[in-house]
Every structure is written in C-alpha cells, then in structure tokens.
Amino acid sequence: MTLFIQSLGEVADRYDAIVFDQWGVLHDGSRPYPGAVACLEALSDSDHRLAVLSNSGKRSLSNLERISNMGFRPDLLEFVMTSGEALWLDIKNDKINETRLFPIERAKGDADGWSGGIDIEFTISLEDAEAILLMGLPDGNTIEDWRDLLSKARQTGLPLYCSNPDIASPRADGLVVSPGALAHEYQDQGGTVRFYGKPHRPVFDALKSKLGADRLLMVGDSLDHDIAGAHFAGWDSVLVQGGLHADDFKASSRKQTLERLVREKNCPQPTYTIGTLQ
C-alpha cells in the first residue's frame, strides 16, 4: 500500500541514501522546480546522503554541471550516475566490441563531448558504422523523422545502443519525445537494442556499489523507469506527482489516479507518493 506523504523529511531517516531522478523531479530542463533546491539543502543539512540517477545520454560530470548551473550546490550530491556514464564505462572496459558508431544526438557535438577517453570513431553514414549510438533526439523531432533511417539500419543488421531509455521527458512547455521511444520502435521492427539506464538493473547496482549503501530510496516521476526499476533492484521509492504524470494527477484524486496508472502500466506500487519535492 502506497503511503501519501507531504515531505521527504517524514521518511528520510529510514534510509542510508536518497537518490533523485533529474527531469520531472529536480528540474524541468530549464529551471529547478519550486522548493527543490531548498528540499535538497535541508536534507543535506540533516546529514542525509544524496545522489542522482538519471537517464541522460551525457556523462556524469556534464549532468552535475547542468544541475549546478540551475542552483543546486554540487556539494549537495555525493554522486551522479547517468545511463550515458554506464555505457561509457562498458566501452572503456572493453565490454562492447563495436568501435565505429553512427551517433544520434540532441545537439551537435554531444557525442564528441561524451566520448573523451575511449577509443571509438563516429561515422557520418550508416554504411560505415558498426552500430548506432542513440544519445538524444533534437528538440521537436518525432519517431517519424527517423523511421527511414531505422529501416535502413535494420536491413543491414546494425545494433543500437540507447543511452537514454526514457520514452518522454518533462520540459517547461510540456512533454517531449525521448530517445527510448525511438529505441523501442527499432526493437519492434526487429532491430537489436541494448538499453542503458532505468529501469534496467545494472545502473541501479552500479550506483549502489558507488554509495556502499543498503537502504536506498529512489525519488522519481516515472512509474515505468524510476519506480519499477527501484522495485526490482530492492529499493523503496517515492513517486513525484508533479512531473511526467502531472496532468493525470490534476484530473482526479491522487488515490484514484495512482491506482489507474499502476494498473494501466502494469507497474509495482511506489512505497510513497508526494506532490512535489518538499
């Protein structure tokens, strides 16, 4: 049974560390949500260990800089783990054989910035690639914009490495299509996809190992990724109502909305739910 809480302070003492998602929890991609900075500062001042686990195609340092530029002091966070960092580490540790990659990125240069320190080459054509690296989608893009390219890639048998499994992400002006939607489209067409990030277990285990903690609390806004991933990793979770599912929670009572979403998505119940970070 999910417990409805008013602030994280009500349950924080039960955990060795509290782990936050980024988009939809801490910020909307442009600015922090009201109360988010104050919430993390209060928790840190009470000696709670804090970290971030994000489905971001970029590496950990890039995301720490993004969060810091929005007003979150970097010393608040003990560690930032991203799906892009997890993929980078696998390539660094020779767990991936393909070295010539065709990049799909949100902004030109993202792939080059991500790849420092590993021995890979980016190609400008599918014909020269051994695999596709899917980091992000340009703002305003839809699956339809990439359908022809996916079809060609599938015909030649290129595997796709997706370093951001999110289907959609909250932004200041609404939801945008995220790389995970494109990766699932490729998989549905018969293409081979390897996902990095939530809800897949390895990224949860990687952060747990970094923290050296047992009792972990995941704070996220996605039932599919944050809540389900935490559940199967053995973590407790908090669903933030003000992010990805904000419109759903505005439409009816919290209890009815949560029951419907859990049923429709066939996801586990979160341990707790909260309106916004307090």
Side-chain angles (χ1 to χ4, degrees):
M1 180 68 69
T2 299
L3 178 65
F4 292 81
I5 60 175
Q6 298 299 316
S7 74
L8 290 180
E10 297 175 37
V11 299
D13 288 342
R14 304 176 188 178
Y15 299 96
D16 300 323
I18 303 173
V19 180
F20 296 88
D21 178 37
Q22 276 197 82
W23 284 270
V25 175
L26 298 181
H27 60 77
D28 63 8
S30 300
R31 59 187 63 84
Y33 286 116
V37 173
C39 176
L40 266 64
E41 289 179 344
L43 290 169
S44 178
D45 289 345
S46 299
D47 294 325
H48 294 291
R49 300 173 66 194
L50 310 178
V52 163
L53 180 57
S54 177
N55 278 358
S56 167
K58 295 183 179 180
R59 295 193 59 198
S60 294
L61 181 58
S62 297
N63 280 271
L64 178 58
E65 290 173 349
R66 183 206 308 271
I67 295 169
S68 299
N69 289 337
M70 290 187 190
F72 296 92
R73 298 195 328 263
D75 63 290
L76 294 174
L77 300 168
E78 189 167 331
F79 198 81
V80 174
M81 173 61 73
T82 68
S83 45
E85 183 80 12
L87 174 56
W88 187 92
L89 287 170
D90 269 8
I91 295 175
K92 179 73 172 179
N93 295 324
D94 297 322
K95 294 182 179 180
I96 291 174
N97 296 322
E98 296 86 4
T99 59
R100 294 196 310 276
L101 308 178
F102 179 88
I104 301 176
E105 51 195 347
R106 183 183 180 191
K108 187 173 178 57
D110 283 351
D112 287 333
W114 167 84
S115 64
I118 53 177
D119 186 17
I120 60 172
E121 174 188 353
F122 292 121
T123 69
I124 60 174
S125 68
L126 285 178
E127 290 75 12
D128 297 327
E130 296 175 329
I132 297 172
L133 169 65
L134 175 54
M135 292 182 64
L137 294 178
D139 288 345
N141 270 207
T142 66
I143 293 176
E144 190 61 37
D145 294 316
W146 296 92
R147 201 176 297 278
D148 288 345
L149 183 141
L150 292 184
S151 179
K152 292 177 183 177
R154 182 178 55 80
Q155 290 170 13
T156 56
L158 288 182
L160 184 151
Y161 290 91
C162 178
S163 60
N164 182 348
D166 282 350
I167 304 298
S169 297
R171 293 289 188 270
D173 55 355
L175 297 179
V176 297
V177 176
S178 289
L182 193 64
H184 281 285
E185 173 73 13
Y186 191 56
Q187 189 175 62
D188 291 343
Q189 291 180 7
T192 299
V193 178
R194 185 168 175 184
F195 291 97
Y196 281 78
K198 301 171 289 186
H200 306 282
R201 180 70 180 266
V203 75
F204 286 88
D205 290 344
L207 180 54
K208 181 177 181 178
S209 177
K210 287 284 186 181
L211 293 172
D214 292 321
R215 299 176 302 161
L216 292 165
L217 181 67
M218 179 76 224
V219 183
D221 68 321
S222 168
L223 283 165
D224 300 300
H225 296 108
D226 302 312
I227 306 307
H231 173 82
F232 292 113
W235 302 13
D236 283 356
S237 63
V238 179
L239 177 68
V240 176
Q241 303 160 23
L244 188 63
H245 302 298
D247 289 343
D248 293 292
F249 279 100
K250 290 177 183 176
S252 60
S253 75
R254 294 181 305 173
K255 185 174 185 298
Q256 290 176 335
T257 299
L258 181 60
E259 290 175 349
R260 176 179 60 80
L261 289 172
V262 166
R263 183 174 61 253
E264 289 176 353
K265 295 177 174 296
N266 193 28
C267 285
Q269 290 263 359
T271 314
Y272 315 100
T273 185
I274 192 171
T276 57
L277 287 190
Q278 302 286 338

